[in-house]
Amino acid sequence: MAALRLKTPWTHRWGWKSLTQSAHFRCCFGSLVRPLAVGTSVDKLASQRSFSQVGLGSWVDPLAYQGSFTSWVDPLDLEVSPQISEKEVYHTQRAYAKAIMRISNSYHAGGNYLKLAHTAVERLYTDDKVKVLFKANEAKDTQFRPTAAEAMAFIAGAKGDAQGSEESSFAIIGSRGWSDVGFDNHQIEISDNVAIASGTCYLTSAETNGITEADFTFGYRKDELGKVGIFFQNSSVPLVVLDSFDAKPLVSEEAVQKAQAAWASTIKDISKIYLDGGDYVAAAAKAAGDLYGYGHSEVLFKPTKAAEAQFRPSASDALSYFVGHQAVEGGHSEDSGFAINGGKGWSDVVFENHQTKLTGPIAISMGNYHFTCAETGNQTKVEYTFGYKKNMDGKLRIFLHHSSVPYTSSSATVVADLISQEEVQSAQAAWASAIKHISKTYLDGGDYVAAAEKAAGELYGYGHSEVLFKPTKAAEAQFRPSASDAMSYFVGHDAVEGGHSEDSGFAINGGKGWSDVKFENHQTKLTGDLAIAMGNYYFTCAETGNQTKVEYTFGYKKTEDGKLRIFLHHSSVPYSS
């Protein structure tokens, strides 16, 4: 077969400076170059495929990647670019992950995992003629592994050949193995035929499903045959290995409760300092450093009242939320200061844990916490999930904080059918009839007080719920929160023990009585088990026949016995200039 000649070798365009891998190992990037001889034949190129038939399946084109170890470019495809691509880096990482899982699976199945490991090293790394800068994450005695054989010892526990004795191995991790391996690239930098990738690798234990994180930096080089191989590897484990989600806890529930108590106390302290005119911003900044992991680890913080800047990854983001945007440079305009309750402050904060999960150096707690407004005394319930982690200084800090307003069903307006317009109209007709009946009973000399008491029990929510009642002709005792207050207004102070002197008895029209009462609804709003009606009602005097118009707002609520009763009654004389 005639020799096939290529264009100018890619390597002629390379100009590498030397790289130092600590004082232990030096390697000139230039030495990584293996120029392709101008006279290289197709037969010789094709022979490069032969060793890929050993053990792990046949050679595949990376564009048709189906999970094999290799991500080579077809050496016969002479139009392929000599520059490495991100896609090829991803393929190589997936091949690496697949190799680790296959070696692990073979080990536990009693297979020839060493052969698989040998083939994986041969395919994944640059060949034996090129040294590999390999710093293993758990290796202490032999930190740097410049040869494929030494890399093999770390990956599969072999001493460099299939007969070697076994040592602590990355791919099989003793008796557990890995069921899944995933790469999360933080950054990939490409320069011609070299790519450097750094990020986090997540390895799932086959025995416990626990996840181990390993920080990595890999160097990939594409040679003149189109093969992408690893020439540099540095990995380290930043966290304690979590063998399962039920790993032996290093954090106690008491420690979590103390952290929660400290958080609650801090919110109250910041509020108090603010209300006392002190430096609440400094107090909040100090508290953030004590309570949250900013500066120690990444913090996942999704505050309750955050819509535009939903997530707060930095300490300044969090501070803006707690003390308000005006108090922090570059604060978010939506922040009014949660820790100071927008200026009203909090008098109390109480945690109500639903459940706390402890595992290794981490604790996750979920539940509700209740905030009491310092100004009004009103209580607000908020849902939370907090994650706590022990930092390097041994202190437990928050690395996860997600809080939200409790869900209110959007179907509330649909549930409005619990009360109908007809029921509201029926309740209004009953109220009008009761006023006329009380008047008639009074004018006929009957027991109008008993009639009023019976009507009040049927029409108003006294004894079932709080009632907000502001009568038309009430100036001194404007509001009537109790049944006796209301009775005094309707039948007069003379007929009720402890009645209000201003009351002449509205239901009996001060002695003249009412012959008719009519409602004129302006609008009725139905929502869930509540109805609010607004409009005018007209009273016709039984003695004179004169008509009086009164403005009203009535609120109706179904009580526990299923009866519709008034919980809100506000009436007033129409405005006249």
Side-chain angles (χ1 to χ4, degrees):
M1 182 181 291
L4 176 64
R5 297 182 181 275
L6 302 180
K7 296 179 182 179
T8 304
W10 306 338
T11 54
H12 291 181
R13 298 183 294 112
W14 302 344
W16 300 109
K17 295 183 179 180
S18 61
L19 170 71
T20 302
Q21 172 71 3
S22 82
H24 171 83
F25 184 77
R26 291 178 179 273
C27 174
C28 176
F29 269 52
S31 69
L32 300 179
V33 175
R34 183 160 52 91
L36 182 66
V38 175
T40 301
S41 68
V42 173
D43 292 335
K44 186 172 182 179
L45 286 170
S47 70
Q48 303 293 330
R49 299 184 182 186
S50 60
F51 68 91
S52 67
Q53 308 297 325
V54 182
L56 294 178
S58 54
W59 178 93
V60 293
D61 188 326
L63 299 181
Y65 177 81
Q66 299 295 326
S68 77
F69 291 3
T70 181
S71 61
W72 306 341
V73 176
D74 187 342
L76 299 182
D77 183 359
L78 303 182
E79 298 302 318
V80 75
S81 169
Q83 180 169 330
I84 193 170
S85 67
E86 281 197 9
K87 187 174 183 179
E88 289 172 311
V89 171
Y90 297 146
H91 285 177
T92 307
Q93 289 177 339
R94 290 164 63 187
Y96 184 96
K98 195 74 173 178
I100 296 301
M101 289 186 283
R102 283 190 180 181
I103 293 166
S104 177
N105 183 61
S106 176
Y107 174 83
H108 292 289
N112 192 351
Y113 71 98
L114 291 177
K115 183 177 180 180
L116 288 177
H118 270 294
T119 307
V121 169
E122 181 182 63
R123 296 185 180 183
L124 293 171
Y125 293 87
T126 50
D127 62 45
D128 283 336
K129 295 178 182 178
V130 179
K131 292 184 177 181
V132 176
L133 307 179
F134 186 105
K135 192 279 181 187
N137 50 301
E138 294 180 343
K140 294 180 181 178
D141 298 331
T142 314
Q143 288 181 289
F144 303 96
R145 310 286 176 113
T147 68
E150 288 174 310
M152 172 73 183
F154 170 71
I155 290 176
K159 290 294 186 181
D161 56 50
Q163 312 304 318
S165 60
E166 185 177 323
E167 66 176 26
S168 176
S169 110
F170 169 71
I172 61 177
I173 55 168
S175 62
R176 295 184 295 259
W178 303 115
S179 61
D180 194 19
V181 179
F183 283 83
D184 181 13
N185 290 297
H186 170 64
Q187 192 170 2
I188 298 176
E189 291 293 334
I190 294 176
S191 177
D192 208 9
N193 74 325
V194 170
I196 304 295
S198 63
T200 304
C201 183
Y202 298 93
L203 305 108
T204 303
S205 169
E207 183 180 34
T208 65
N209 290 322
I211 295 176
T212 296
E213 294 181 28
D215 291 336
F216 73 83
T217 300
F218 274 65
Y220 303 93
R221 186 178 70 86
K222 185 175 184 180
D223 67 16
E224 62 275 7
L225 297 181
K227 174 188 174 183
V228 177
I230 301 167
F231 75 89
F232 173 84
Q233 176 176 340
N234 188 310
S235 59
S236 60
V237 179
L239 295 178
V240 174
V241 176
L242 301 183
D243 286 335
S244 75
F245 199 66
D246 292 312
K248 182 180 178 180
L250 304 177
V251 178
S252 68
E253 195 151 350
E254 291 74 22
V256 172
Q257 291 168 357
K258 281 186 178 181
Q260 291 176 337
W263 194 94
S265 178
T266 295
I267 296 296
K268 291 187 286 184
D269 288 345
I270 295 170
S271 283
K272 187 175 186 304
I273 292 169
Y274 170 81
L275 295 174
D276 291 344
D279 191 352
Y280 68 101
V281 176
K286 181 180 183 302
D290 290 340
L291 300 173
Y292 287 81
Y294 294 112
H296 299 271
S297 66
E298 286 187 350
V299 175
L300 292 75
F301 182 19
K302 204 297 288 182
T304 316
K305 296 181 176 181
E308 297 170 7
Q310 286 179 277
F311 307 102
R312 307 300 175 95
S314 71
S316 60
D317 288 328
L319 196 61
S320 172
Y321 178 73
F322 283 116
V323 299
H325 69 94
Q326 72 285 346
V328 178
E329 186 176 348
H332 300 284
S333 58
E334 66 180 327
D335 297 337
S336 59
F338 182 81
I340 60 175
N341 193 17
K344 297 187 289 290
W346 301 112
S347 60
D348 199 16
V349 181
V350 177
F351 278 77
E352 178 191 358
N353 288 324
H354 163 64
Q355 194 174 359
T356 300
K357 182 68 178 177
L358 308 174
T359 176
I362 290 174
I364 306 291
S365 186
M366 175 181 284
N368 297 308
Y369 41 7
H370 306 269
F371 299 82
T372 304
C373 178
E375 183 177 295
T376 65
N378 294 336
Q379 196 175 76
T380 300
K381 182 173 88 169
V382 179
E383 299 165 342
Y384 73 83
T385 296
F386 274 63
Y388 302 90
K389 183 166 68 174
K390 272 196 173 180
N391 297 130
M392 295 298 289
D393 59 1
K395 186 171 177 61
L396 197 64
R397 290 183 175 89
I398 299 163
F399 77 92
L400 164 67
H401 177 175
H402 182 127
S403 57
S404 56
V405 176
Y407 172 72
T408 300
S409 175
S410 59
S411 61
T413 53
V414 178
V415 183
D417 289 341
L418 292 176
I419 298 177
S420 66
Q421 292 274 3
E422 291 74 20
E423 286 178 295
V424 172
Q425 292 167 0
S426 177
Q428 290 176 336
W431 192 91
S433 177
I435 295 296
K436 290 187 288 183
H437 177 67
I438 295 167
S439 282
K440 187 176 186 303
T441 302
Y442 171 80
L443 295 173
D444 292 346
D447 191 351
Y448 67 99
V449 176
E453 286 178 341
K454 183 174 183 297
E458 291 175 353
L459 300 173
Y460 286 82
Y462 293 113
H464 299 273
S465 65
E466 288 186 350
V467 176
L468 292 76
F469 184 15
K470 205 296 287 182
T472 315
K473 297 181 177 181
E476 296 170 8
Q478 287 178 276
F479 308 103
R480 306 301 175 93
S482 69
S484 60
D485 289 329
M487 278 295 294
S488 173
Y489 178 75
F490 283 116
V491 299
H493 71 276
D494 316 34
V496 177
E497 185 176 347
H500 301 285
S501 58
E502 65 179 330
D503 296 335
S504 59
F506 182 81
I508 60 176
N509 193 16
K512 297 187 288 289
W514 302 109
S515 61
D516 198 15
V517 181
K518 289 183 178 178
F519 279 76
E520 180 188 50
N521 287 326
H522 165 64
Q523 192 174 1
T524 301
K525 177 70 176 176
L526 307 175
T527 174
D529 65 343
L530 300 178
I532 308 292
M534 177 181 285
N536 298 310
Y537 44 178
Y538 301 86
F539 298 83
T540 303
C541 179
E543 183 177 297
T544 66
N546 293 336
Q547 194 177 72
T548 302
K549 183 171 103 171
V550 179
E551 299 169 340
Y552 76 85
T553 297
F554 273 54
Y556 301 90
K557 183 179 181 181
K558 280 196 173 180
T559 49
E560 69 277 0
D561 58 2
K563 188 172 178 60
L564 200 63
R565 290 184 170 88
I566 299 165
F567 77 94
L568 166 66
H569 178 175
H570 183 124
S571 57
S572 58
V573 176
Y575 171 77
S576 62
S577 60

